[in-house]
Amino acid sequence: MTTHSQPTTMHESLLDVRGRKIFVAETGDGPPVLLLHGGGPGASGVSNYSRNIAELAKEYRVIVPDLPGYGRSSKGVDGRDPFGYLAGHIRGLLDRLGLEKAHLVGNSYGGACALRLALDTPDRVGRMVLMGPGGIGTTRALPTPGLTSLLDYYTGDGPSRPKLEKFIRTHLVFNAAEVPDSVIDSRYRDSIDPEVVAAPPLTRPKSLRTVWKTDFTRDRRLERLPVPTLVLWGAADRVNRPSGGRMLAERMPDCDLYMVANTGHWVQWERAELFNRLCGDFLAGRR
């Protein structure tokens, strides 16, 4: 398995944003790019983008927050409008950092956060890269087995390492053998933080209104969104259906779609070299 170097120095801070604490790691110089991580148990910003930060930091100011509910950020997410809640706090983070505009890169839950932020305030987003984003066609089909596994993690008999390992090796990636035990161990430790167990950040919608609100294909603003967008989707994604990529490409006026063969839900990790090249070029306008 290919190894990927980490930045030698990252500036870390815990910032007050809308009355909550948001952990942020930064490195590099250049146009600002926020990397927004997925919503699986034990996820965090730097761990989810461990194979991308150093490469992107050669050209960009890379800003990697832990989303609300995850990592070292304050726990709890408003389940009535989770994507709006996340987007509001990331927009607040832009304000806190003094950034009028930034590029957004989002995987899964982070992709849903990025897309909602762009829909609500397109003037705050330069370009956007989405990898298997959540909230695409979710009212048009039953949840995938992978998404069901994710949503069931804190229910039933509660979180456990076997449940997490099954989710990661069976549903998250295409090649289970590439995931080292250390990744599962680390994510399991973070997933059983008592504050997270008490208030899981990703749960099933509790009302029809929330269900409707969390499907972006029902949002007519999508057809007018001016933000140039690159969608990367693993052709073997078992969490969010790859057909979501076509839904976005058909509805968004400025959207490139790249389907990645032999890849699951974690494009930026499973196909890091390809992702780093495509992402860096697209954000720079070299597409």
Side-chain angles (χ1 to χ4, degrees):
M1 183 171 61
T2 305
T3 57
H4 302 265
S5 61
Q6 281 294 305
T8 53
T9 58
M10 294 193 75
H11 174 71
E12 298 182 351
S13 53
L14 195 61
L15 302 177
D16 289 308
V17 177
R18 296 189 169 193
R20 309 298 298 279
K21 298 289 187 182
I22 300 295
F23 173 81
V24 182
E26 294 188 52
T27 188
D29 294 306
V33 178
L34 267 70
L35 306 184
L36 306 176
H37 65 82
S44 64
V46 172
S47 67
N48 272 207
Y49 289 99
S50 62
R51 297 182 169 188
N52 319 114
I53 294 169
E55 190 64 28
L56 292 176
K58 294 176 181 178
E59 190 171 1
Y60 300 98
R61 175 187 174 188
V62 178
I63 302 165
V64 194
D66 288 345
L67 291 176
Y70 293 87
R72 285 181 265 181
S73 293
S74 293
K75 303 305 182 284
V77 170
D78 186 348
R80 295 169 298 180
D81 183 17
F83 298 161
Y85 182 86
L86 297 177
H89 280 78
I90 295 302
R91 186 166 45 250
L93 177 61
L94 292 178
D95 295 339
R96 184 71 172 76
L97 295 172
L99 297 173
E100 288 296 320
K101 180 178 286 194
H103 300 311
L104 300 180
V105 176
N107 174 228
S108 194
Y109 206 31
C113 170
L115 188 51
R116 178 62 183 272
L117 195 159
L119 287 168
D120 289 348
T121 49
D123 57 305
R124 304 299 300 272
V125 184
R127 287 177 168 244
M128 184 163 58
V129 178
L130 306 175
M131 301 88 75
I136 310 301
T138 49
T139 62
R140 303 177 190 275
L142 293 174
T144 64
L147 183 57
T148 298
S149 175
L150 192 163
L151 294 172
D152 285 347
Y153 182 71
Y154 288 101
T155 64
D157 56 359
S160 69
R161 192 187 184 285
K163 283 175 77 171
L164 183 58
E165 181 168 19
K166 180 179 179 181
F167 167 68
I168 291 176
R169 296 199 189 279
T170 304
H171 301 294
L172 188 65
V173 299
F174 178 75
N175 186 353
E178 286 201 353
V179 183
D181 288 341
S182 60
V183 169
I184 296 170
D185 291 338
S186 175
R187 288 188 61 147
Y188 175 62
R189 285 194 300 270
D190 290 343
S191 78
I192 56 173
D193 179 316
E195 288 187 277
V196 177
V197 175
L202 182 57
T203 58
R204 284 183 170 81
K206 293 179 173 59
S207 72
L208 186 59
R209 183 181 182 192
T210 299
V211 169
W212 206 261
K213 193 177 291 188
T214 52
D215 185 353
F216 293 111
T217 66
R218 304 289 185 181
D219 192 328
R220 294 190 175 183
R221 296 178 298 171
L222 199 62
E223 300 172 1
R224 305 187 301 272
L225 185 63
V227 176
T229 302
L230 171 64
V231 174
L232 301 171
W233 216 301
D237 191 334
R238 301 183 188 98
V239 177
N240 292 332
R241 288 184 176 86
S243 57
R246 178 57 59 189
M247 290 182 186
L248 288 175
E250 290 173 349
R251 287 166 173 79
M252 299 176 72
D254 193 359
C255 177
D256 292 346
L257 172 62
Y258 194 112
M259 298 297 292
V260 188
N262 301 317
T263 305
H265 188 56
W266 224 4
V267 174
Q268 81 280 6
W269 194 87
E270 298 177 72
R271 298 292 299 277
E273 288 84 1
L274 175 66
F275 170 82
N276 292 339
R277 184 174 73 252
L278 292 175
C279 183
D281 286 347
F282 181 82
L283 296 180
R286 300 187 298 265
R287 77 178 193 184

